[in-house]
Amino acid sequence: MKAKEIVKDKIIKEKEGNLISKGVKFLEEVKIEAKKITWPPKKQVILSVLMIMFFSIIIGAYLGLLDIIYNALISFLVR
């Protein structure tokens, strides 16, 4: 039985070693790929954020107006 346990221990250690080496290799590849990222200029980011905020406010106002109209309509019909 000891021989089987030794073989199992060796297999587990080999798998762990492979897992660790795979993890290290993955992180090295992530670092290489991260260096290839090109970030947009600050001006473009600010403009994009402002556009998103503007359209979010417009859509929120539109949906709020629809809510008020439908609420009034349903209140009128229920009376």
Side-chain angles (χ1 to χ4, degrees), residues 18 52-53 59 62 68:
N18 289 337
I52 290 169
M53 289 174 61
I59 291 171
Y62 174 73
I68 292 169

Side-chain angles (χ1 to χ4, degrees), residues 5-18:
E5 291 175 4
I6 292 171
V7 171
K8 286 181 183 179
D9 288 341
K10 286 183 179 180
I11 291 172
I12 290 172
K13 286 181 182 178
E14 287 176 5
K15 286 184 180 180
E16 288 176 354
N18 289 337

Side-chain angles (χ1 to χ4, degrees), residues 42-78:
K42 186 176 180 179
K43 186 176 180 180
Q44 184 179 356
V45 172
I46 292 172
L47 183 62
S48 298
V49 168
L50 291 174
M51 287 176 51
I52 290 169
M53 289 174 61
F54 174 75
F55 283 110
S56 296
I57 290 169
I58 297 297
I59 291 171
Y62 174 73
L63 292 175
L65 183 63
L66 283 180
D67 183 48
I68 292 169
I69 292 170
Y70 287 139
N71 191 11
L73 182 64
I74 290 173
S75 294
F76 176 75
L77 292 176
V78 170

Side-chain angles (χ1 to χ4, degrees), residues 26-37:
F26 172 76
L27 292 175
E28 289 172 351
E29 291 175 359
V30 167
K31 186 177 177 181
I32 292 169
E33 291 297 321
K35 289 180 182 179
K36 296 179 183 178
I37 296 173

